[in-house]
Amino acid sequence: MKRLACILLTLCLIWCSMALAEGDDPVIVRVGDFSFTKNQLQSAIDTDIEFTELLSQETLTDEERQTQRDDTIERFVGVGLIQCKLQEAGQNDFTPDEEENLKAAARNLYEQLWQGIWQRAQDSGEDFTEEQVTEYLEESGYSAEAIYEEYKATERRYRAIDLYCPAITLTEDMIREYYEEQFLNPDRERYENDIDLYEREILAQQNESFYTPAGYRAIQQILLEYPDEVNKGLAQEKVQFSQAAQAVASALQPLADAASTAQGWDDISEACANYAKAAKALETVQKAVIEKREALTLPLIQARVDEIRTAFDTGIDFTSLIKKYSADTNAQNMEKGGYPVHPDSRNWPAEFLDAATALEKPGDISEPVLTDMGVHILYYASDIPEGEHELTGEEQETLNASALYYYQNQELEALMADWREEYEIETHPELLDD
């Protein structure tokens, strides 16, 4: 699972995100012989806020941003405490080989991040340059040098764990508690009653969730393209539809303008009436297109539909029929069991959704369904179990490693609370930007 595979890296970035200091700038945190400057703290704070907002998809309030600042300052105090302890143990420094290995790992991660952002930029269709991608990473605190500093801080944390809290034996109950608290319960709370959010964040982004809401079924389809005769026969109606759609768009702007200055209904009634008239005309044209498309299409594809139905009734596997007949050869449709479809979904054409949810039981097949995409023959492949994601063996191993690091960090944090008494600590949050 992609999200589980990123857990350890995410934890490291959350604990240790920092950028290199540039030039002389004021010290914000000093712990014993170690100090951290405004440049380092400000970069980490900005990165932490951006990361938190990215995960939550919400803008932090001023109070939440202040809490994030305070947490970041405390984290740097922790980094300083670890360095003090490691210095006493003679393990704070790195050998040349260790430094080179960490630099190589940092360069590798930087390249992965760069390529990932570049690919997403290309997929978006927007005009991004390589320089803009590099600038975005630099501004986000993820230069190769900054990642190298993060890796060093993370390695020091591992050293402290090995020195001071290595004797943790994980039990199944501990792992289960960690899994529920950190992953399962948050996904359940987020998606259980919000299908639209689940489909935007999980299905549309091809992510995986630790919790699946109830009501999903897997639908496979054979998608037949419209014969050329249909497209030619609808040429005039398509022109009319395009004109009607443009009329709706043209009527929308005056309505928006009137609404922005209206003092009452009289100020927007004419604009509303014009928009309603245009929308009604579009609806009429759309209905005519659908009716004519059906009249033209069904006679032309009936033989193919009968051929598919006969093959299915004789016991031929539906996936085999997809391979033979379908224009949709997407892996989700063929190898992965079908598309997740929910009655409250907004991701499918209404005709598709109505037909998919009308199928009564797994193994049922639909009559031809016509949408703008083509002619669909739908197959109810299976119900998708609700509830928590069942981890694979590899995912369980990743979870176990993440849980161990989590509990080791808890123990280390408890030790660090005691270490605070051993060193002089200064913080100057008033020097940070608002």
Side-chain angles (χ1 to χ4, degrees):
M1 179 182 295
K2 288 180 286 186
R3 293 171 69 195
L4 265 175
C6 294
I7 289 170
L8 291 177
L9 174 60
T10 299
L11 284 172
C12 293
L13 294 180
I14 290 173
W15 282 116
C16 306
S17 177
M18 65 176 69
L20 287 172
E22 297 179 0
D24 296 327
D25 59 330
V27 170
I28 305 298
V29 173
R30 188 188 307 279
V31 182
D33 296 334
F34 297 94
S35 60
F36 306 96
T37 67
K38 177 181 177 180
N39 184 63
Q40 291 173 294
L41 267 291
Q42 198 68 59
S43 176
I45 289 168
D46 293 343
T47 300
D48 288 350
I49 289 174
E50 181 179 347
F51 187 80
T52 301
E53 291 181 337
L54 178 65
L55 289 180
S56 67
Q57 297 294 302
E58 296 177 358
T59 301
L60 297 184
T61 65
D62 290 342
E63 183 178 352
E64 289 169 334
R65 293 172 73 89
Q66 183 59 53
T67 299
Q68 195 83 51
R69 285 157 53 94
D70 294 342
D71 290 345
T72 303
I73 290 172
E74 283 303 304
R75 193 171 76 245
F76 272 82
V77 170
V79 172
L81 289 169
I82 287 173
Q83 288 192 263
C84 287
K85 274 294 181 181
L86 290 179
Q87 181 173 256
E88 292 176 1
Q91 294 197 32
N92 190 53
D93 297 326
F94 297 92
T95 67
D97 285 346
E98 288 171 334
E99 288 187 343
E100 185 52 43
N101 288 337
L102 290 174
K103 287 179 180 178
R107 289 193 297 269
N108 182 58
L109 176 58
Y110 176 82
E111 182 62 26
Q112 290 180 36
L113 292 171
W114 196 98
Q115 291 294 340
I117 293 172
W118 173 253
Q119 187 59 55
R120 269 178 280 176
Q122 298 305 298
D123 293 343
S124 72
E126 297 185 33
D127 188 18
F128 287 94
T129 65
E130 294 184 2
E131 290 75 16
Q132 287 175 309
V133 173
T134 301
E135 182 180 350
Y136 173 78
L137 275 173
E138 296 279 342
E139 291 177 351
S140 299
Y142 290 111
S143 66
E145 286 298 314
I147 295 172
Y148 169 59
E149 290 298 310
E150 292 171 359
Y151 274 19
K152 287 200 297 184
T154 301
E155 175 59 28
R156 288 189 174 108
R157 196 170 188 93
Y158 279 126
R159 290 181 181 184
I161 286 172
D162 289 340
L163 277 173
Y164 300 108
C165 48
I168 292 180
T169 301
L170 283 181
T171 65
E172 290 186 5
D173 287 344
M174 291 170 66
I175 296 173
R176 179 66 190 180
E177 180 181 351
Y178 169 72
Y179 175 64
E180 290 182 354
E181 178 183 326
Q182 299 295 319
F183 305 105
L184 177 59
N185 291 343
D187 275 6
R188 178 187 285 115
E189 292 171 7
R190 188 164 182 82
Y191 301 126
E192 187 170 30
N193 298 308
D194 197 334
I195 298 302
D196 188 44
L197 183 64
Y198 177 78
E199 298 199 337
R200 290 201 316 270
E201 294 186 350
I202 301 301
L203 300 185
Q205 301 298 324
Q206 296 184 339
N207 289 322
E208 293 185 66
S209 172
F210 296 95
Y211 179 83
T212 301
Y216 274 97
R217 56 180 58 182
I219 298 293
Q220 292 179 286
Q221 70 164 341
I222 293 172
L223 178 63
L224 305 176
E225 296 178 336
Y226 286 113
D228 290 340
E229 296 92 327
V230 174
N231 294 322
K232 291 177 182 178
L234 289 172
Q236 182 177 350
E237 284 75 10
K238 288 182 177 179
V239 171
Q240 293 172 347
F241 181 84
S242 177
Q243 292 172 341
Q246 182 58 48
V248 170
S250 298
L252 180 60
Q253 187 59 52
L255 177 59
D257 294 340
S260 66
T261 59
Q263 301 296 315
W265 169 250
D266 290 342
D267 295 331
I268 62 171
S269 59
E270 182 178 353
C272 281
N274 290 338
Y275 179 78
K277 181 179 178 180
K280 183 64 176 178
L282 176 62
E283 182 181 346
T284 300
V285 173
Q286 186 174 27
K287 183 179 179 181
V289 170
I290 291 173
E291 290 176 350
K292 186 172 182 180
R293 182 173 63 191
E294 181 174 335
L296 291 171
T297 302
L298 292 180
L300 295 173
I301 66 164
Q302 192 61 53
R304 178 60 57 89
V305 171
D306 291 343
E307 182 180 331
I308 292 169
R309 168 65 79 170
T310 299
F312 178 76
D313 289 343
T314 60
I316 295 179
D317 178 68
F318 195 80
T319 301
S320 299
L321 297 176
I322 293 175
K323 293 178 181 178
K324 183 175 181 179
Y325 295 102
S326 182
D328 177 10
T329 56
N330 187 289
Q332 187 70 48
N333 190 36
M334 297 178 65
E335 291 98 21
K336 297 183 180 180
Y339 298 104
V341 176
H342 191 280
D344 296 333
S345 173
R346 300 183 185 180
N347 290 339
W348 304 102
E351 304 91 340
F352 180 103
L353 185 62
D354 290 344
T357 54
L359 296 170
E360 295 184 356
K361 62 185 184 302
D364 285 354
I365 189 172
S366 76
E367 295 299 323
V369 179
L370 278 63
T371 73
D372 289 343
M373 293 185 290
V375 181
H376 310 257
I377 299 174
L378 307 181
Y379 175 67
Y380 189 167
S382 66
D383 290 313
I384 298 177
E386 67 174 294
E388 67 180 85
H389 170 75
E390 184 176 345
L391 300 178
T392 66
E394 182 178 353
E395 290 169 350
Q396 187 65 55
E397 289 181 6
T398 303
L399 177 67
N400 293 348
S402 175
L404 177 60
Y405 187 61
Y406 172 80
Y407 286 113
Q408 287 173 326
N409 268 295
Q410 283 193 325
E411 184 171 331
L412 182 60
E413 289 293 322
L415 289 172
M416 289 163 60
D418 296 332
W419 295 348
R420 296 176 74 103
E421 304 298 323
E422 301 179 23
Y423 305 99
E424 181 179 350
I425 299 174
E426 294 179 38
T427 63
H428 299 283
E430 69 279 2
L431 299 178
L432 293 167
D433 297 336
D434 294 333

